[in-house]
Amino acid sequence: MTKKVLVFASGNGSNFEAIVKYFYNKGLTCINGKTISDAAPQVIFELLCDKKEAYVLKRAKNLGIRSFYVKFDTLADFLTQQKGDYDLFVLAGFMRILPEKILKILAPAPVINIHPSLLPKFKGKDAIERAFREGVKKTGVTVHYVTKNVDSGKIIEQREVQTAGLSLDGLEARIHSIEHSMYPEIIEKLLFKRRVLVFGGGARENAIAAKIKKSPYLDKLFLAGANDGFKNLGENIEFIDYNDLLKKALTNGVDMLVVGPENPLCEGIADIFNKEGINVIGVNKYWAQLEGSKIFAKKFMQKHGIKTADYKVVTAESELLAALKDFKKRNNNAPPVIKADGLALGKGVSVPDTFDEAESIAKSFLEGKFGKASSRIILEERLSGVEVSIMSLWDGDTLVSFPPASDYKRLLDDNRGENTGGMGAYAPSKILIKQKKQVNKYLKVLQSALKSEKTDFTGVLYSGLMLAKDDAYVLEYNVRFGDPEIQALLELLDDTKGADLLDIFIKMGEKRLNEVDLKFKRTGTYCVTLASSGYPENPEKGAQISGINSALKQGCKVYFAGVKNDCLCQAAENCTSALASCNLVTNGGRVLSLVKSGKNARDIVYRAAETIKYKGKIFRKDIGL
Ligand code: GRF
């Protein structure tokens, strides 16, 4: 796999040299004619310079890199002859604007540039000096695609530099050292793009797949179990079991697996894929017990001094009465929450109002209401306060978290009705500074707990927190992103500043989350779930859905869950167009998520919720109020 890169530089050339040396140190290119192993993919660098005296030409000579001196007015002719050979064009201090005519010659290979500011601020020349003279608190480095307009193409990555205490020289030095580590890495990621498999078929996985699809570092997206509403985002892999999926993933060169739901994680999908060297975003089987067993989670919390509600484990009906009696004494006669130990599709929690009710619910659990999942239960103290969901990423060393999100579990407005998978969410949660401090304090404790356990997984940890008067208490752990919280949270990731989900996942795999600075839009985001009547017990299916395109036009994102493509052309092998021309029908309880951030976001989401029509549509009207 040989890649060819043409670097355009006509100045000092320190970036050029840093790039070449980075690839040389990784055994991916040769300098001074030194050969590299045949097995390694090879990157061949060449230099193009339009200034005869430029120091970069000397650097090229010393490094043994082929260079071309080309006068700018003959550049088009030169590039026309060279065309077709290169995978990537890299501007590194070329100090020229490439006119459209030249960009057309270079296409379709991407052209990228590095600029020493946080674009769109300080476009053009002397960016560092201008930022310094203006006295900005922070500036930085931007890598972006090149268009005919000065420093205006889509941003690939951006890194900040604080200016405090730095002289102009100091600032320049800091910026250049960031450039020298950032640019080569980005070039590597653009040359060796990832093949990603997203596992799962709900709105959460639709949102994750849609984000990954936008990444500059994606080669190809594969989907396992996608519903008809988003299967057109990638190539679908049918599979019999996880080993079969692994085999097919390997055949397709997949190098990353992103697991949406908890079940496969609890069943050990991460362990199976990790063994073959595939980077998995999802916890291993052992740590999946944080979600798969409430008792396991409670023990973890107790061991690490993480605050949680008081509880009692009951493992047989014969223990129940004594346990309830003891619980009553310990908790001032307040009835307990009943929780199944294992996974029960989000239904294994019951909140009785009296002890009699608690007893009969506990009995039904122990008698097998949720099969093996409720053969052990816990009686848990009922806490009051503000509930928030915190989604964190863990790479074995560093914990990085999204802002707190608020979700709506009950079916009906004002938190009435049955518990559901989630009827909507908004983020960030509207919480007080004191509560934010509680969250941050908790996250520090969690990070050291995970560290002290030497947890070696790369994945997601979701903390369901109750922010009580005195402190944050953990209600539950999940080992995956919350649905619908993550649909809302991903909308907050600021991709205009280069906050890229796939890049975050890549860094997780490399245990470099400490370098990730999650950039969020300074705004609110809303997600409303449209469901089917009869949900959660017995949702109606087969109702024809209309209005999706209008909702999209109103600026909403639509992520699909319980839908099926029932179009007449379904028989045709190539039918992938769930949206435009086909007949989408309901096929489950939660049908889709509508998401919007920014100005008037809530109004827009609710307008779209009205626009989309199908028989039996239900949704809550009070999300984010
Ligand atoms: C860098 O600051 C880069 O951001 C800008 O030009 C400068 C080139 O420096 N586009 P060098 O020639 O790589 O030393």
Side-chain angles (χ1 to χ4, degrees), residues 284-349:
N284 57 21
K285 190 173 178 175
Y286 180 79
W287 284 106
Q289 290 181 90
L290 281 172
E291 174 160 5
S293 166
K294 302 263 183 303
I295 299 170
F296 180 93
K298 283 284 193 191
K299 284 187 181 152
F300 170 81
M301 293 178 232
Q302 265 182 332
K303 180 171 170 195
H304 296 287
I306 293 171
K307 287 199 173 160
T308 183
D310 182 32
Y311 73 105
K312 261 194 103 60
V313 177
V314 183
T315 56
E317 225 181 305
S318 55
E319 300 165 11
L320 182 60
L321 285 182
L324 282 167
K325 207 170 147 201
D326 183 39
F327 188 90
K328 201 172 191 171
K329 229 193 306 168
R330 270 174 21 191
N331 288 283
N332 290 331
N333 292 332
V337 177
I338 313 292
K339 290 184 173 177
D341 177 51
L343 295 180
L345 295 170
K347 293 177 185 155
V349 177

Side-chain angles (χ1 to χ4, degrees), residues 314-615:
V314 183
T315 56
E317 225 181 305
S318 55
E319 300 165 11
L320 182 60
L321 285 182
L324 282 167
K325 207 170 147 201
D326 183 39
F327 188 90
K328 201 172 191 171
K329 229 193 306 168
R330 270 174 21 191
N331 288 283
N332 290 331
N333 292 332
V337 177
I338 313 292
K339 290 184 173 177
D341 177 51
L343 295 180
L345 295 170
K347 293 177 185 155
V349 177
S350 208
V351 189
D353 290 322
T354 63
F355 265 92
D356 285 347
E357 211 186 315
E359 187 185 333
S360 77
I361 291 168
K363 259 191 193 152
S364 74
F365 275 36
L366 290 164
E367 278 162 7
K369 181 165 182 192
F370 299 107
K372 221 181 137 222
S374 64
S375 64
R376 302 193 302 172
I377 61 168
I378 60 173
L379 312 177
E380 195 182 69
E381 175 193 7
R382 201 164 161 171
L383 296 174
S384 59
V386 176
E387 259 189 80
V388 291
S389 311
I390 311 284
M391 311 291 141
S392 305
L393 302 171
W394 173 250
D395 69 355
D397 211 38
T398 304
L399 192 76
V400 169
S401 300
F402 285 81
S406 300
D407 77 328
Y408 292 70
K409 289 251 161 41
R410 299 292 194 97
L411 182 69
L412 305 172
D413 286 10
D414 302 320
N415 295 327
R416 289 172 300 113
E418 282 171 90
N419 255 339
T420 69
M423 295 299 288
Y426 72 90
S429 302
K430 296 163 194 166
I431 54 173
L432 305 170
I433 294 178
K434 177 188 152 202
Q435 291 166 321
K436 276 185 196 153
K437 282 187 185 156
Q438 290 178 347
V439 171
N440 292 337
K441 185 180 132 207
Y442 158 73
L443 286 171
K444 276 196 190 125
V445 179
L446 175 63
Q447 160 143 328
S448 23
L450 290 169
K451 225 174 180 161
S452 75
E453 291 276 359
K454 301 200 177 10
T455 48
D456 50 354
F457 70 81
T458 299
V460 177
L461 192 56
Y462 162 139
S463 309
L465 294 186
M466 179 66 87
L467 307 178
K469 266 198 196 126
D470 62 326
D471 218 336
Y473 289 77
V474 176
L475 295 175
E476 61 169 351
Y477 282 127
N478 292 165
V479 291
R480 34 79 195 181
F481 288 128
D483 178 347
E485 293 97 314
I486 198 64
Q487 288 93 299
L489 287 168
L490 287 180
E491 198 54 28
L492 280 188
L493 266 187
D494 196 349
D495 34 25
T496 62
K497 291 187 178 159
D500 179 75
L501 188 63
L502 177 53
D503 190 40
I504 295 165
F505 287 165
I506 291 172
K507 296 229 169 72
M508 279 172 78
E510 293 169 351
K511 290 205 187 302
R512 293 170 59 201
L513 260 184
N514 59 328
E515 293 170 30
V516 169
D517 171 22
L518 288 184
K519 294 185 186 88
F520 298 105
K521 298 175 197 161
R522 288 166 177 265
T523 178
T525 171
Y526 297 84
C527 170
V528 172
T529 304
L530 300 193
S532 289
S533 70
Y535 178 63
E537 287 306 323
N538 202 6
E540 253 180 53
K541 291 183 184 171
Q544 195 173 335
I545 306 169
S546 68
I548 301 290
N549 283 329
S550 313
L552 290 169
K553 273 191 205 135
Q554 287 164 20
C556 254
K557 298 257 167 67
V558 182
Y559 298 125
F560 294 100
V563 298
K564 200 169 96 177
N565 189 346
D566 220 9
C567 70
L568 294 176
C569 56
Q570 201 180 19
E573 260 176 37
N574 296 330
C575 176
T576 50
S577 82
L579 297 182
S581 55
C582 291
N583 187 17
L584 210 60
V585 299
T586 60
N587 192 41
R590 289 195 287 176
V591 174
L592 54 87
S593 292
L594 292 169
V595 181
K596 177 83 182 118
S597 67
K599 214 173 152 208
N600 301 326
R602 190 171 184 278
D603 292 347
I604 295 169
V605 163
Y606 273 109
R607 215 173 303 139
E610 297 293 348
T611 306
I612 292 175
K613 296 206 165 32
Y614 55 86
K615 195 171 151 272

Side-chain angles (χ1 to χ4, degrees), residues 9 11-16 59 91-95 113-116 128 141 175-176 179-180:
N12 172 33
S14 67
N15 273 288
F16 165 73
R59 293 195 197 248
L91 306 195
F94 191 51
M95 307 304 176
N113 182 39
I114 191 159
H115 185 79
I128 305 177
V141 179
I175 284 185
H176 285 139
E179 288 186 345
H180 297 163

